[in-house]
Amino acid sequence: MKLNRLTIFLLGFALIVAVYFAQRAYVYRHSEFTHGMFVCDNEDDLRLYEADLSLHYYVDGKEFVVQSRDETKLAYHEVQVRYPKDSPEKGRYYTPGRFWGLSALWLLIPTMLWGALVFTLFNENSGIQLSINKNQPKKSSNNLLKT
């Protein structure tokens, strides 16, 4: 079986995507969720689209405050907060689009590097030749030594 460069690229891309989703699933499984609220420290900033906000949330009766630069329309509204199970002080505003989609932009870097590697190392007619012969008897080292 001969693998051309497009097939090699697609196999590598599938591996990159699988590793990405495995990492995201691991982070998601090791996270806890709570509700919080963004508070704007400077009321004049509410006229802007984006400002420095404080995310206030509680975990086991203890209040945590995390500084964040986010949209001002989120200020004084209840939001969902995701934090690592062992580090509740590292909470972040959570939406599925932000967690799964926006971070998928990081796939561009390894994909571009993989594509550059594959499409520069192999020309259009080359590839990798794989051959699997199940029915061939193995040559023993004794046969090779006899002359």
Side-chain angles (χ1 to χ4, degrees), residues 34 42 51 56 63 65 70-71 73 75 81 93 101 103 127 129-130:
T34 188
N42 185 355
H56 295 259
E63 182 180 19
V65 179
D70 244 300
E71 300 174 46
K73 70 178 183 179
V81 178
Y93 170 53
S103 61
Q129 182 73 32
L130 298 176

Side-chain angles (χ1 to χ4, degrees), residues 20 23-24 96-108:
Y20 164 76
Q23 186 273 340
R24 292 275 78 192
R98 275 186 177 204
F99 184 76
W100 295 97
L102 190 59
S103 61
L105 290 174
W106 287 105
L107 288 174
L108 290 176

